[in-house]
Amino acid sequence: MTDGARARRREQTRRTLLRESRRLFASRGYGAVGLAEIVDAAAVTKGALYHHFDSKTDLFRAILEQVQQEVAQKVAATAQAHDDPWEQLTAGCRAFLAASSDPDVQQIMLIDAPAVLGWAEWRAMDESASAHHLAEALSTLIAQGTIAPQPVEPLTHLLSGAMNEAALWLATATDPNALAATWAALSQMLEALRHR
């Protein structure tokens, strides 16, 4: 087998492990899934799993990175579909809440991630995945006078925290109108930021 074929095979094994683990974690939760079940679903050995990931937690971290990147891409694409910076901000915030209401995203990103990785690591990963987009949007709006001049960093953390808390609440909400109600509340908060 050539080096290129080996590399392709290793990458295929890694993709299969990620896909099957993600499916299992999303449907049943991290704690209910064992390594034996993961390697069976992926049709690989435990040795193959440990070749790619140091532990079940390491595997979960890679899945969380995928999920966070997918959510960030959806938010960015939705925001960029608008020309007006204010509409970009509001559309992006709404897209984040909508993406966070997906049951698979909720289970991995909002329910399991803080418990498995700890609040500090989860928060740092969330910040690296999406907070810079929010900070850029807020900086633009402050520079053009849509939002009153103020320090961007605390405003970014406040707004990001509000949206994360709303998403965490949505992950356990049973009301079918929870997403609409959450967006109504968040849109009022955002409107309060607008400089009159």
Side-chain angles (χ1 to χ4, degrees):
M1 186 180 292
T2 67
D3 287 344
R6 274 196 218 50
R8 284 190 297 277
R9 188 173 180 174
R10 279 193 301 273
E11 184 53 32
Q12 179 59 41
T13 299
R14 187 176 196 282
R15 280 195 306 267
T16 301
L17 282 164
L18 288 168
R19 182 186 66 240
E20 294 303 319
S21 299
R22 181 173 175 167
R23 180 182 59 79
L24 291 166
F25 291 153
S27 64
R28 301 201 359 249
Y30 176 88
V33 178
L35 285 178
E37 188 175 1
I38 291 169
V39 296
D40 284 349
V44 300
T45 64
K46 276 193 181 177
L49 185 146
Y50 284 119
H51 176 76
H52 294 280
F53 304 99
D54 293 337
S55 63
K56 180 179 162 187
T57 302
D58 190 38
L59 173 59
F60 179 81
R61 186 178 291 109
I63 292 166
L64 175 61
E65 286 173 357
Q66 275 186 343
V67 172
Q68 287 178 322
Q69 287 171 1
E70 289 167 10
V71 169
Q73 288 167 355
K74 285 179 187 174
V75 169
T78 302
Q80 290 167 0
H82 299 273
D83 294 327
D84 177 68
W86 180 257
E87 289 177 13
Q88 289 175 344
L89 174 70
T90 57
C93 291
R94 190 172 196 156
F96 173 78
L97 289 179
S100 298
S101 67
D102 176 278
D104 292 355
V105 170
Q106 288 176 339
Q107 185 65 49
I108 292 169
M109 191 172 85
L110 302 171
I111 296 170
D112 284 340
V116 172
L117 301 178
W119 183 259
E121 184 176 357
W122 176 76
R123 186 70 192 107
M125 289 178 72
D126 175 65
E127 194 169 320
S128 71
S130 60
H132 64 280
H133 292 297
L134 181 57
E136 288 172 6
L138 293 171
S139 294
T140 298
L141 290 165
I142 290 169
Q144 74 177 28
T146 303
I147 295 177
Q150 58 192 287
V152 173
E153 190 172 356
L155 181 59
T156 301
H157 283 277
L158 286 167
L159 189 51
S160 177
M163 287 191 296
N164 280 333
E165 281 299 316
L168 286 165
W169 177 76
L170 282 170
T172 58
T174 56
D175 180 357
N177 297 316
L179 179 58
T182 302
W183 172 244
L186 180 59
S187 63
Q188 285 186 7
M189 282 179 59
L190 292 172
E191 280 297 325
L193 291 173
R194 288 183 92 163
H195 193 260
R196 301 292 181 211

